Structure formats: structure tokens, C-alpha cells
Amino acid sequence: MAIGRSMYDDFPSYPFRRPPGLDGRPEQRPVVVVGAGPVGLTAAIGLARYGIPVVVLEPRDSVSFGSRAACISRRSLEIWNRFGAVQRPLAKGLPWTGGRSFWHGHQVLDFQMPHDEDQKYPPMVNLQQCFAEQYLVDALNECPEADIRWHSRLTAVKSTNDCVILSVETPDGVYDLEADWVVAADGARSFVREAVGLKLEGNSYEGRYLIADIKFSSEYPTERRAWFDPPSNPGSTVLMHRQPDDVWRIDYQLRDDEDSAIELQEERVRARVDAHLKMIGEAPDYELIWISLYKAHCLTLPHYRHGRILFAGDAAHLVPIFGVRGLNSGIDDAGNLVWKLAAVIQGWGGDGLLDSYSHERVFAARENIEQARKSTLFMTPPSRGFELMRQAALSLAVSNAFARALVNPRQTTAITFATSPIQTTEDESWESGPVVGATLPTFPIKMRRGHQLYDGHLIDLVGLDPTVVVAGGDEAVEMHLCKVASRDRLNVVILEQNDRADARPTVVVDHRHRARDLLGLDRPGAGYLIRPDGHVAARWRRFDPTRFDAIFALSLARGD
Amino acid sequence: MSPPSQNFDLERIWEKLANAIDAAGSGKEVLFLSKFAILASKELNDGQQVERLVDIALEDLT
């Protein structure tokens, strides 16, 4: 519910542009993305980076309104970085690393998310979703491959063996658009999902949260605060997050005896916010900007691939808000899907890649749902038993450190795929480093370009192509990898402890000697095969060229 | 159940718990016992044992 539209007046409305399909010129497109939310836009920008023409269909004429999904994880920032879209969200967003929880006037938790000097990005950045969407739209509008069609509502979806035919309603009439592939990122109430007769599976929780965005000035730093059963809102849980431009987000739980319609009324919200601000010693002098009601859902489609239609984000799964896995898992979907779809369209990967997208991201959704479900049981106890156990945990947490683990909000972290049709199983013993299926950690490195060394990060070296990261010093390994790279889409990164005289463009210097600790690379030629989405496809301590060729082919689902 | 240790006096613990429930006071007994259950479970440090004890405690609640 928009209250203070003035705050976001700068967001442009986009005009309707008449597509050729309305003038009897049929269009066949390699990819149509349905939905210009953050997930659809991320998928579109990723595909454009691969040079693939992409149409985005969106019924609205501008980005969405309100803060919505306002916490962006490190993993999401890394994905936007890969697609050249991280700078503006990072510049505008407010980074944070931890938070506090309170119960009856006691601080019961002071938590920190994993963060250290090796990281390129903070663990979390707060940014209203509308800003994130606008930055992605601006970036897409600069891509000649991308065509965002506003004022365009899908009215029918027809799948054939060769294509998907989409009927699109516009202010000037309805036209058909033929797509080789469709990315359905049209949100929780996905039309595509309904149209092809698919249903989300799982359950929903009764607990309701009301979200109120207010604008006021405060010196309090950016961190997540939670109050359990506070004197200002007895029986409720209140969360508070700082966002850019002096906007603060207050989420509070509605008690079972409270009526949603009444509680959504502006004066009721103001009374709750006033009481909360008074409790924390802030002046109740604010502008109310946006109100929304939230319920926790634990739902997913059992498969994200439906022939030539690929589901992503809320269209594919709904995850409870606690731990911020909604938007972030959707961006992870897009990051996983984009390179696979590009590889299939451009012929450097097999069709099985798209099945692996479904396999991996359904697994991720189930992991996310399980974590968020546990958080939900704590944040909105569904029964007397859970309520009592929460009270007991909070009471113990005042003076007993062990009990604080029960209060911890379990913020989102990158998912490790237990299995995947395109990854190997480990057959050597490693002392450290990411296992197969995990994501590549990062640390500062120096990159050579010509005669100059530049500061960079390991993750910057993972671009649009698969990447091998290998410890330098074994010439035979390097020669084999360079041979593969000369005829295939493979980016070879050779990690050296010190700068090397014959430095080729692929040599990077691990000047802080982190590769041994963080990657377990303790011998020349040991290395990792990293997919374009940053997941480890395989790793080896002893390199075997025949085996490498086989795992490289497997990681691209070739020969299926 | 584990064999009794030399200095474990169940009757004494029984009394201690009864007095503690009274000390917690009206309306706070359940919270006290819930906290105690978490603390005791943590101290036992044996998930299977705790689950078994929970099941036993659920018996004969009539």
C-alpha cells in the first residue's frame, strides 16, 4: 500500500512502444523473460551479457513500489558483479554485518554474519527493491540485446516441441510472440505457472507480519534489530532495518486476535510505530511511506523446467521472509540459469544443463525453506509449545551464551549442492577449500595486464565462461589447460605466489598467500573447475588430463 | 537410565525442583520448567537420550 508516493517520484514511467507483432509481422525470439522484477531483470541482463537477444514482458509501466525485498546478500552482489550490474546497488545500498535482539529490556543476542578482510562485498546490503529494479532496468536499457516491453500482460501460453507461443495484451491490442525459451519470473502469483497448470507444493504458516516503511532521521547504525514481546507491542515481535535515504523499515507481528484489515489502517499502524519509536528513544516525527502485510509460505514447484519454460524466483518457490532468502534465492536462480541457457542456445553446452538447473535450484529451495521454516517457528510461534520454548530460549539467552544459538536469525548463506548431474564426486582428501557443489570463496589477488599489476579479487576472474583456477608450477598441467582453452570456452587462471617474469594474461598473484588456506591448493597443478555461476564443478590435487576433459564435458552436460 | 553416581540424591533434587517451582511463582512455573528442560538437555549432551526422556515424560499424563 503506497502512502507517500512523493518519496519515489523520480522513478520514470515508461511509454508503450508498439511491437512488430501488432502489425502482422510475426516475431521469433530466442528468449522471452516474463516479469520485470529483480529476478527477471537479473536473468535478462545476464543473457544480454552473453549477447543473446532478450525480450522482457511486464504489465506495469515502471519498477515496483516500496521497499519489498530490501536485504541483498553477498551472493546476490557477486552475481550482479558477474553481470556488470553491481556498482549502483552497492553505491546506494547500506552495508551491514550483524545485529541485536532484545527481550523484555535485555539484549539477548549480538550476532555477526561471516565477514573478514578476504571478502570483496559485505555480507548484506540494504536497498529498497525499487532502486535495485531501476538500476537493473537502466543497465538493460543500455544493452542493444535487451527489449523491455512495459504495458505488456501475458494472456495465454502455448507450448509446442519447438517453441512457446505467448499471447501478449497491450494498450493497442493482443499479439503473439514466439519464444525458443521462456524464463517465467512473474512472481508469487505467476500467470505462466497457472497457464501451464503447475502448482506450488508445501505449506503456509498462519503468522502474519505487517511491514511499515517510515522516513525519519536517526543516527543509529545499519544493523538488524529485533524485539521479542516488547513493552511497546506486547505479545508481538518487532524487527527494524535501516534503508537508504533515511527510510526505516519496521516489521511487526500481528497477534492471532488482531484483524488484518483493521491493523492495515493508517492510524493503527501509526499508533504501533509511535509506541515502538518511543520505546527505543526516537522522536515520533516521521513520514509513513509504505505498508504491506506478509505471511510465511514454504512452497516450491517440484520441477523448475517445464519443457521450454524455466521457472525462477517467486514463480518457482515462496520462502518465509526471515533470513532474507526470497529475493536472494531468486537472484541465485537467475545466476544459475543464465549461463546454462546461454550455453544451450549458443551450442557450447548440452540440453541437460537445463535439467541440472531444476535439480540444483529445487534442492536450494528446499534447503532455503528448511532454514526459513526454523526461523519462522521462532519468529511466529505456531503453538503454545513453540511459544513457551521461545520464551525459555530468550530467558536463558540473557545470561547463557549457548542459548543464543537458538535466537540467531539464520541469515541466508550460499547453498552447497549435495548432488548434481553436472558435478563430480570428490575422490581425494582435502585439508581445506570449497567442496564440489559449494561456491568459490574469494580473497584479494593481483592481476597482470600487460606490464602492470592490478588489485583484484579471485571471484572477479570468474566471468561468463567456465574457469579453472590452478596452482602454478606444473608446466604440463598449464599446457594442457591452455590447449583446451584455445579451442573451447574455458578461462584459465594460474595462481602464483609471486609475480612471474613470463606472466601471461591468465597469471594472477596470490600476494597474501591465501590459496593454501582457502582453497587447499598445496601442490603445483592442483586446482578447481569453477562454473560461470561460481559453483565448484570439480577439484583435483593430482591433475589427470583425460579425467579433466571428461569432467569439463560433464560440467557442460555435453554428450547427453 | 544411567547407573546412579555416588553423590546423586534424587530425593534431594526432587525437593530442590519443588522449591524452585514455588520460587518461580504463579504463572512462571511453566517457563521455569521449560528453561530447566533446555539446560538439562544441553548438559546431557546426548540427543538420543534427551529424545527418550522426552518420550518417557509424555507418558501417563492423565
Side-chain angles (χ1 to χ4, degrees), chain A residues 384 388-389 391-393 395-396 402 406, chain B residues 28 30-31 34-39 42:
Chain A
R384 168 89 178 127
L388 202 49
M389 274 296 130
Q391 241 180 314
S395 173
L396 282 170
F402 85 89
L406 297 166
Chain B
K28 297 288 179 194
V30 186
L31 176 59
S34 303
K35 285 176 70 177
F36 182 75
I38 293 178
L39 279 170
K42 166 80 170 50

Side-chain angles (χ1 to χ4, degrees), chain A residues 461-529:
Chain A
L461 301 164
V462 179
L464 299 179
D465 292 340
T467 297
V468 278
V469 176
V470 64
D474 186 324
E475 208 168 313
V477 173
E478 292 173 26
M479 271 178 62
H480 183 80
L481 291 173
C482 289
K483 198 175 80 191
V484 176
S486 69
R487 55 175 156 78
D488 216 322
R489 292 190 73 132
L490 180 68
N491 170 35
V492 180
V493 171
I494 295 162
L495 278 177
E496 294 287 356
Q497 297 285 306
N498 302 297
D499 195 15
R500 201 158 87 172
D502 68 333
R504 283 162 288 166
T506 49
V507 169
V508 303
V509 183
D510 173 22
H511 61 290
R512 291 175 53 196
H513 309 290
R514 302 298 286 139
R516 183 184 274 261
D517 280 356
L518 292 175
L519 300 178
L521 296 180
D522 56 357
R523 46 182 295 139
Y528 286 77
L529 175 60

